[in-house]
Amino acid sequence: MSTTAPPLDADLVAGLRRLKLAAMRQLAPELLITAKTQRWSPEEVLRALVEAEITARDASNERARLKAAGFPVLKTIEEFDVAASIPAPTWAYLTSLEWLSAKENLALIGPAGTGKSHTLIALGHAAVTAGHRVRYLTAADLVETLYRGLADNTVGRVIETLLRNELVLVDEVGFAPLDDTGAQLLFRFVAAAYERRSLGIASHHSFEDWGRFLPEHTTAVSMLDRLLHHATTVVTNGQSYRMLQARQRRGGEHLTH
């Protein structure tokens, strides 16, 4: 019959609280009983407590990074069937996150519903799990954020704050046209990130068509020059996953890629 472990002495509790060792404080009473029963050495007791604290802090830090990333939904690389959109060697490279360490970029181009957003979020989630700081925004949100910085003359500070993240994911690039100011702000952000941080972007538009939402051809060329200099480009294609799932839910024709 199990018994409740006696609490730690008050001075130990106070010391662990002051040192912010919450996991040790919580685990120690039960662990000390186990240690006495199994005759652990002092080193084994200390190792178990330290490992528990490290594990708890790692989990807490990961939760904080995940919250700060701002993903609209949670997607993982295990959930994504890449067979129709991304060649296996490319996917292996992307999921290795080596491109992130090398400060390279990722460009996903393709029709709606072919997995671009899922890929961005899933790779971002993998980066968070690996210990990296990540930020996800739509292009509209990014430009709006930069516009607010323009209004109070803090654009540079806003950009530097975003670039504290090792990976910035910009989804829905070109979803809506930009005016001259918006295009220049977006270019300023891309130029600031160049060879300093990794960017992941997703767009419905092929690179040749970026002039459709960027008012100046030279801005489009200059932006693409920096985005693609060190980048992996993936062109997604095939049936829209969302349309496929909707038809399957309705019991319609089963489509294959």
Side-chain angles (χ1 to χ4, degrees):
M1 183 176 179
S2 63
T3 58
T4 303
L8 296 174
D9 291 344
D11 59 336
L12 282 176
V13 172
L16 291 170
R17 181 175 285 114
R18 182 176 177 183
L19 293 171
K20 296 181 172 60
L21 298 173
M24 281 192 185
R25 193 173 75 245
Q26 182 178 5
L27 180 65
E30 291 287 349
L31 187 138
L32 289 174
I33 290 179
T34 302
K36 289 177 182 178
T37 302
Q38 299 184 5
R39 299 181 180 180
W40 287 6
S41 68
E43 290 83 359
E44 288 175 313
V45 176
L46 183 59
R47 182 176 294 107
L49 289 170
V50 169
E51 287 177 351
E53 188 66 39
I54 290 172
T55 299
R57 290 196 180 193
D58 285 347
S60 176
N61 290 338
E62 182 177 327
R63 287 193 297 271
R65 290 195 305 274
L66 192 59
K67 182 177 181 181
F71 298 128
V73 293
L74 186 58
K75 301 288 186 180
T76 67
I77 57 178
E78 292 79 13
E79 295 171 340
F80 185 42
D81 178 11
V82 301
S85 297
I86 303 177
T90 302
W91 183 244
Y93 176 67
L94 293 176
T95 55
S96 75
L97 301 179
E98 292 176 13
W99 57 283
L100 187 53
S101 302
K103 298 180 175 59
E104 296 174 354
N105 298 329
L106 168 64
L108 298 167
I109 306 297
T114 53
K116 299 185 303 299
S117 294
H118 188 147
T119 301
L120 280 186
I121 295 170
L123 290 171
H125 179 262
V128 165
T129 301
H132 298 288
R133 295 183 301 276
V134 178
R135 185 73 171 93
Y136 170 95
L137 311 95
T138 64
D141 288 339
L142 173 58
V143 172
E144 182 180 344
T145 299
L146 297 175
Y147 255 115
R148 287 198 298 268
L150 188 64
D152 57 11
N153 201 31
T154 61
V155 175
R157 193 182 313 159
V158 169
I159 290 174
E160 289 306 310
T161 298
L162 286 169
L163 294 182
R164 289 175 188 166
N165 298 286
E166 292 143 288
L167 173 61
V168 180
L169 303 171
V170 185
D171 204 355
E172 300 177 358
V173 175
F175 192 78
L178 296 174
D179 60 16
D180 288 335
T181 303
Q184 288 302 318
L185 288 170
L186 184 59
F187 171 75
R188 184 172 170 182
F189 171 75
V190 170
Y194 178 61
E195 294 187 332
R196 290 178 56 202
R197 290 291 186 265
S198 291
L199 300 180
I201 64 103
S203 178
H204 296 345
H205 296 280
S206 65
F207 299 131
E208 293 80 5
D209 291 336
W210 276 39
R212 291 185 180 182
F213 60 89
L214 293 172
E216 290 290 337
H217 176 73
T218 53
T219 302
V221 171
S222 298
M223 190 181 302
L224 286 170
D225 182 58
R226 287 161 177 78
L227 278 173
L228 302 180
H229 182 206
H230 309 290
T232 298
T233 300
V234 175
V235 179
T236 62
N237 49 48
Q239 295 282 352
S240 164
Y241 291 111
R242 288 188 286 271
M243 290 296 292
L244 173 60
Q245 290 170 356
R247 291 177 184 178
Q248 289 176 344
R249 282 196 299 270
R250 292 198 302 266
E253 177 185 2
H254 182 81
L255 299 176
T256 58
H257 295 289

